[in-house]
Every structure is written in C-alpha cells, then in structure tokens.
Amino acid sequence: MNFKELKEKLASIKSRGYIETMRQGNTGVGYTLETLLEIEENNDAGADIDGDIELKAKRKGGSARVTGFCQNPIWLVKSRDIVKKYGWQDTLHMERANFYPSLRCESPSPQGLSLAIEGSSLYMKGERGEYLAEWPLEVMKFRFRQKHTKLALVLAERQKQRGSLEKFYYDEAYYCTGLSTDRVATLIKDGKIVVEPRMYLNRTTGKLRDRGVAIRLSDKWMMSLFDKVERMV
C-alpha cells in the first residue's frame, strides 16, 4: 500500500462513521485501524506501511501517549534488583512486585526515580542519585529515525456506553515528514518524552517478566519532531 492508497482508505474509513472496537483495552484504537487497513500487526523495528510509513492511532482528548518505540537501556544495576527495591505490590496478584513508572527529566516519580541528560546519554537515577540505567542519545535518535522517517498519525473520536464495546470514529489524520532528531534531546529535557519501564517480579518463583521500556510522547509533541505536517483526512 502506497501513500495514495493509504489516504483513500482512511477517507473510506472516515465515511463509515463510528466503528466498534475489534479489541478491548488501550490497544483497541490501533488494532482496529490496522485491521480495517488490512495491515498485519507487528512488533518489529521497521515501519508499518511498505517499510516506509509508520502508522500510529490515538484516541482524541485522552491522556494516553503515543509510543514512539521500545528501547531497553544499558542496565548499570541489574533490573531484577531495581524492581526489588523500587517495585510496588500488585493489587490483584499478591506475589507480584510491579515496576511500571512514568519517568521524566528532573521530575522524580513517587518512588524517587528520575531521568537526567548528562553528556551524551540519558540516565535513570535512583532516589539517592545513583545511576541505574543509561540510554546513549545517539541510540534514541537512531530509533526515532528507524521507526519514524515518515509518520501517519490518525486521531479518533470515541464513544463508550455502559454494557457496550467502545467505538471509534477515525476522522482526522496527518502525514508527517522531515524528521528532525535534533529536537529529541530538548523534548526529553522538557519532560515531553516519557520513559516507561514495564516489568514485574514474581516473588514466589523469582521470575522477572520484562515487556521492554516504552518511549512515549503526546501526539502534539510527536508531530513537533517533523518539519512538514500535512493533513490527510
């Protein structure tokens, strides 16, 4: 599917009005759109459409951020030990210690964790300023270039009534080109890019489940990384 075909399909989807979600939960807005566009769900490093255009979908008006990509750091302290110290009790699974913080630069989480750019790297730091993990900034820039050279960002109105499935109206879409990774460090420093580790430790078995570290930002700040933003729908 090329750009012209994508634009035509998005216009057709918009003409259908509200469409019932094909998957419940946070990922429903993206999964439903991919299904309508006949795009096979994937979690690889490349772009979604023709290996050239990354597709992102988001509910309008929600606080949820767009996931730019997932990138594990260089762990300076074993991730298992970090979860043991900074994790918290799961309310449904008593054997679990959860570690799902949302981290920003110079803004400590409730657990005392924060991010800081020092030199050419981004660091996750503990409550006493100890270094826990490192992301070289060049790696972060490379991952943005790898995933988002071209971006199709689709926004959806939503309806949700008690006892019924969520519905989406995909009525707004933007095509973003001219990625400028020079802005990445600034967005991190300003707290616009959020780093979210996703792990839990089973205290009974000692098994660590690591779903990777998500690098997230709002649709507004995602579009600000591009020199040209064109409305498609």
Side-chain angles (χ1 to χ4, degrees), residues 184-199:
V184 170
T186 300
L187 289 179
I188 293 173
K189 287 178 181 177
D190 292 345
K192 308 302 184 186
I193 291 179
V194 179
V195 175
E196 298 186 348
R198 302 172 298 171
M199 295 184 280

Side-chain angles (χ1 to χ4, degrees), residues 100-138:
Y100 294 89
S102 291
L103 306 176
R104 294 178 174 83
C105 261
E106 312 302 340
S107 179
S109 73
Q111 297 77 34
L113 299 163
S114 63
L115 299 178
I117 290 179
E118 297 180 11
S120 59
S121 289
L122 171 68
Y123 292 94
M124 179 170 70
K125 301 173 79 171
E127 59 185 351
R128 297 182 180 179
E130 68 273 27
Y131 294 88
L132 303 177
E134 176 186 1
W135 293 263
L137 288 175
E138 284 304 315

